[in-house]
Amino acid sequence: MGTDLLQTGSAGKNEGCVRRMRAFNILAGRAYSVIMFGALFCTLAVKLFHARRTGHTNEYFDWILNDISFLLLVEVVLSLVCFRWPQGWVVRTATVIAAIVCTWSVMNAGWLIRNGMQILPTTILPLFRDPLNSFGIVGDNLAKMPAAAVILLGPSAIALGFFFWVLARPQPPNYNRKRFFYRALICLIIVISAGLARRGAPSGGSAQRISEELRYNCQLRALMGPFLPKTGRVTRTDLTNAKREIPTLERLGVRAPTKPRRLNVVIVVLEGIQYRYTSLVDAQENLTPYLAELARQGVELGNARTSLSHTTKALFGLLTGHFPSASYDIVEAVPVLEPYGGLAGILKERLGFRTAFFQSAKGSFESRAGLVYNLGFDKFWSRESLKDPNTFLGSLASDEFSMLEPVREWMKADDRPFLLTILCSVTHDSYEVPKWFAEPAKEPVERYRQAINYTDRFIAALDEELAKLNLTEKSIFCVIGDHGEAFGEHGLHGHERIAFEEVLRIPWVMRAPFLIERGRRVISPVSSVDLTPTLLTLFGFDISSAGFDGTDALGPLAEGRRVYFSDWKHVGPAGFVNGNHKFVYNPVNRKVFVYDLGADPNELAGVELDGPQAMGIASEILNWRKDSIFQLNRERRGKMILFGNWLCRWNSRDSVAKYLPAITN
């Protein structure tokens, strides 16, 4: 009897294995269909998630029509091809095509979860430009969102194994002709019905931005990208034909003061801090009490915006007074023969300053060593200089307070006046603070708030170091942002392809004893490119013939001045602020919106312009953006050793930097 039970159990197991193998063979014979339906499910699921979190579930059906049409159509075509030519190589090819479409769906899902917008081919360019650092940031994000990581990567790993199994052992499909044609017909009816159900593109204020962004199918947009009209956006031809040149120091018409002021300059650049999250906006918001105190001791420029919402570009604008190149590259970091004329070079050559740039982030990220060299600084210090992994925070940043000792030693090392620029990076995604400060929060926005509060503490500690060295009354102390960060205010996250105030508006305060009236507040629109002209004017320089794009933000501002801004991606928005009105041009749909920031500070009721007025404004914005692109008078490829221990290699308008500790000084 026991033997019979064993035999019965063994037979049951064998029968179960046979059923599973039969099911697997059926799936493997239609692998391309399985993968395509996986892509469709992934796309529909992530859009439903985004619709629920943004309160747009009523728009969901309209969002998915293009996805249903395109992805089902691809599945039908692949099935028909394999039905007509059921050879192994045909099945392999169809499976590869389906896998590419599905991979793009998974990438789009991750991007949509993180940023609130769909992925474009240009989005993945940094992965190829600097894969080590880029994948490190991606890994940080996945680690901070374990649930999303498991949901995305778990099924992806299973699908990947299935994909390679099918490639190794392709099984031609065994279709029932009648059922196959019925299924294909039903799918085509669904495709046509979804196409007919599509409504016209929404128009109106920013409330429609989410809906318009989610209506297109990301695979179809990527496929059609090369064939879409290039009018209305920056093109490769614009890069090739760029005529603009950034002047070197010798060509910059800046006249030194006859009686120069012997003051130091300390500039703290805040990474990605949204202006509305600071205590400058709301006295009850206690995240940046020291920043608010600095404003009381000096001046706050309360209506400042970044010229370009990307750190490398923003730093260039801040420290040269010239617009960065509004192009999807890091041309500003390609080492040039002579540094560009900017704040560091002018103070060094005309007033005998020593100059240093400190940052808590990795210097290899976006070839920061090349950028700092081009800006004219003598010394560059970054996370690599620490040699202490215990201070590292994530893949990019480190404990800001680890900079205090080397900064102090550098300030004490010489009696000459100095320009010290410090870039804080803990507020960069993934917003990780050291454990001595606080137990890291779980939700991104709470981690972000922690990071802002932590950075404010660092500013206070840095100012204390100035006081200990008796430098407070001998230094201009400036704190300014590079750009802001979105946290779903308009359904979007991050700072790319966003032209709302949460990204453009930046904090800017300055304390200059005996030079700036205490408690002053400038409410006129100013730009990040105004920083260098403003500081030079405080020193008494005559900048009237310098040709800066910026101006003295503390002096009289031209009536009707247009404060321009742009995203760095060629398909990203650009525009300008004129008084209380903000004009935004989107090159993807070639629409122009205007926002009345006085009556509508949250940008919920933008008005779409049309006709000649819209065409004129779009043309003006696009011309400004194209005119900002500057040429690079350098051989196409090359390498240089900078600051004694940085090897910079460049190719065309992109650069990479590698730290070489073996030859450090």
Side-chain angles (χ1 to χ4, degrees):
M1 183 175 179
T3 303
D4 291 341
L5 287 173
L6 287 173
Q7 289 177 344
T8 302
S10 177
K13 289 181 180 179
N14 290 336
E15 185 178 345
C17 290
V18 170
R19 285 198 300 267
R20 286 192 294 271
M21 184 58 67
R22 187 182 298 121
F24 179 82
N25 288 335
I26 292 173
L27 293 176
R30 297 166 175 79
Y32 39 85
S33 294
V34 173
I35 295 173
M36 284 302 305
F37 279 110
L40 180 59
F41 175 78
C42 178
T43 302
L44 300 188
V46 75
K47 287 193 175 182
L48 178 60
F49 165 79
H50 190 60
R52 290 173 64 88
R53 74 171 176 178
T54 57
H56 285 75
T57 50
N58 60 318
E59 301 281 346
Y60 174 69
F61 181 71
D62 208 33
W63 290 0
I64 63 176
L65 291 175
N66 279 321
D67 299 309
I68 294 172
S69 293
F70 180 74
L71 295 177
L72 272 186
L73 182 61
V74 172
E75 192 279 330
V76 170
V77 170
L78 293 179
S79 296
L80 287 171
V81 170
C82 291
F83 176 80
R84 177 64 181 82
W85 295 284
Q87 288 92 8
W89 71 269
V90 175
V91 174
R92 282 193 179 99
T93 303
T95 304
V96 169
I97 293 172
I100 292 172
V101 173
C102 190
T103 300
W104 196 259
S105 292
V106 174
M107 293 171 61
N108 183 63
W111 192 256
L112 183 55
I113 290 171
R114 177 61 187 87
N115 294 304
M117 62 186 74
Q118 299 199 83
I119 199 168
L120 294 173
T122 53
T123 303
I124 63 175
L125 183 61
L127 298 179
F128 298 99
R129 176 188 292 146
D130 190 3
L132 189 62
N133 286 314
S134 297
F135 279 110
I137 294 175
V138 171
D140 271 354
N141 273 282
L142 291 175
K144 297 296 187 300
M145 297 188 296
V150 170
I151 292 171
L152 287 175
L153 299 184
S156 299
I158 297 172
L160 192 64
F162 177 69
F163 168 72
F164 283 114
W165 175 275
V166 172
L167 283 190
R169 300 180 180 181
Q171 300 183 31
N174 183 17
Y175 283 117
N176 178 296
R177 295 176 64 91
K178 186 176 181 180
R179 290 179 181 176
F180 172 75
F181 282 117
Y182 276 138
R183 185 178 72 82
L185 180 61
I186 292 172
C187 287
L188 286 175
I189 291 173
I190 294 174
V191 168
I192 294 170
S193 300
L196 293 175
R198 287 198 300 266
R199 293 176 291 181
S203 61
S206 60
Q208 299 299 329
R209 167 68 190 269
I210 300 174
S211 183
E212 186 169 3
E213 172 72 32
L214 271 294
R215 293 177 86 254
Y216 70 79
N217 171 261
C218 63
Q219 289 94 347
L220 183 59
R221 176 62 65 87
L223 190 64
M224 296 300 296
F227 307 102
L228 293 174
K230 297 299 186 293
T231 56
R233 65 180 69 183
V234 175
T235 65
R236 188 175 298 275
T237 302
D238 296 319
L239 300 179
T240 304
N241 297 334
K243 299 293 190 296
R244 182 183 178 216
E245 293 185 42
I246 304 297
T248 59
L249 182 61
E250 287 71 22
R251 296 172 51 203
L252 202 61
V254 175
R255 291 193 291 274
T258 54
K259 295 181 178 180
R261 298 181 173 96
R262 189 175 175 82
L263 289 172
N264 307 301
V265 180
V266 178
I267 302 173
V268 178
V269 181
L270 306 175
E271 165 69 53
I273 291 185
Q274 185 183 141
Y275 178 65
R276 289 175 182 169
Y277 275 81
T278 69
S279 305
L280 299 171
V281 178
D282 183 359
Q284 303 302 315
E285 180 64 83
N286 202 35
L287 292 182
T288 62
Y290 201 78
L291 187 63
E293 175 59 28
L294 283 175
R296 288 188 287 270
Q297 296 175 13
V299 61
E300 180 202 350
L301 295 102
N303 202 0
R305 289 171 182 82
T306 184
S307 60
L308 208 143
S309 53
H310 186 80
T311 301
T312 295
K313 306 285 184 176
L315 286 171
F316 183 87
L318 286 167
L319 296 169
T320 66
H322 296 283
F323 288 125
S325 179
S327 50
Y328 197 29
D329 53 40
I330 51 172
V331 64
E332 293 81 2
V334 175
V336 290
L337 295 174
E338 295 181 61
Y340 299 119
L343 183 64
I346 293 170
L347 293 179
K348 179 170 58 177
E349 296 298 325
R350 305 291 170 82
L351 300 183
F353 271 51
R354 52 197 179 99
T355 60
F357 188 104
F358 284 73
Q359 66 173 42
S360 59
K362 293 170 68 174
S364 60
F365 184 66
E366 293 199 345
S367 195
R368 189 58 45 76
L371 173 68
V372 173
Y373 169 80
N374 287 345
L375 294 174
F377 285 88
D378 298 320
K379 178 182 178 62
F380 175 56
W381 190 99
S382 65
R383 187 173 96 163
E384 289 85 350
S385 307
L386 277 170
K387 304 179 180 65
D388 182 7
N390 292 321
T391 64
F392 295 177
L393 299 172
S395 64
L396 179 67
S398 61
D399 189 341
E400 237 86 81
F401 284 75
S402 64
M403 292 190 288
L404 287 178
E405 183 178 352
V407 163
R408 182 193 315 115
E409 295 305 313
W410 182 81
M411 289 191 296
K412 290 167 51 180
D414 198 319
D415 289 334
R416 289 177 297 162
F418 58 79
L419 165 64
L420 169 65
T421 299
I422 298 176
L423 173 64
C424 298
S425 297
V426 167
T427 44
H428 188 284
D429 181 21
S430 56
Y431 326 117
E432 183 176 341
V433 298
K435 289 186 177 180
W436 67 259
F437 178 76
E439 185 65 29
K442 293 182 179 180
E443 293 301 318
V445 68
E446 292 305 316
R447 294 201 306 272
Y448 182 65
R449 291 173 63 87
Q450 280 184 335
I452 292 175
N453 186 232
Y454 162 88
T455 301
D456 189 70
R457 285 265 209 103
F458 169 75
I459 295 171
L462 176 64
D463 201 19
E464 186 178 347
E465 293 294 333
L466 291 176
K468 289 177 181 177
L469 297 174
N470 297 317
L471 296 176
T472 302
E473 300 297 317
K474 303 174 184 176
S475 302
I476 298 174
F477 193 65
C478 173
V479 181
I480 190 169
D482 61 348
H483 55 75
E485 193 83 351
F487 279 88
E489 291 84 357
H490 294 88
L492 305 171
H493 296 256
H495 56 269
E496 295 190 350
R497 292 172 56 203
I498 303 174
F500 292 112
E501 294 292 87
E502 54 264 29
V503 167
L504 298 178
R505 199 81 177 268
I506 56 174
W508 182 2
V509 300
M510 289 194 302
R511 182 187 65 203
F514 314 114
L515 296 178
I516 294 178
E517 177 186 353
R518 290 173 62 93
R520 181 181 172 188
R521 192 168 189 270
V522 176
I523 60 173
S524 299
V526 296
S527 171
S528 56
V529 294
D530 295 337
L531 175 64
T532 287
T534 301
L535 290 173
L536 291 176
T537 301
L538 283 175
F539 273 93
F541 283 91
D542 182 353
I543 62 169
S544 58
S545 302
F548 288 125
D549 294 316
T551 188
D552 175 17
L554 299 180
L557 297 171
E559 187 175 351
R561 182 194 184 199
R562 297 187 169 183
V563 175
Y564 285 94
F565 57 83
S566 175
D567 186 68
W568 74 319
K569 292 185 177 178
H570 298 165
V571 294
F576 62 83
V577 172
N578 183 358
N580 278 337
H581 290 87
K582 182 167 79 171
F583 297 83
V584 180
Y585 170 66
N586 189 339
V588 173
N589 53 28
R590 289 179 284 178
K591 291 182 178 181
V592 177
F593 285 86
V594 60
Y595 297 88
D596 184 344
L597 299 178
D600 177 31
N602 294 321
E603 300 170 282
L604 300 177
V607 177
E608 182 181 350
L609 302 180
D610 56 15
Q613 183 185 17
M615 292 177 59
I617 291 174
S619 177
E620 180 180 346
I621 293 171
L622 185 61
N623 288 338
W624 166 79
R625 185 169 186 175
K626 290 183 176 181
D627 289 343
S628 76
I629 299 171
F630 60 82
Q631 61 179 244
L632 189 63
N633 295 319
R634 203 77 165 95
E635 59 270 25
R636 182 175 176 81
R637 294 182 179 85
K639 61 182 180 180
M640 284 180 66
I641 299 290
L642 305 177
F643 303 109
N645 53 6
W646 284 96
L647 173 62
C648 285
R649 300 177 184 270
W650 68 90
N651 182 4
S652 186
R653 299 173 67 88
D654 287 309
S655 174
V656 294
K658 181 180 180 181
Y659 185 65
L660 303 173
I663 61 172
T664 188
N665 293 331

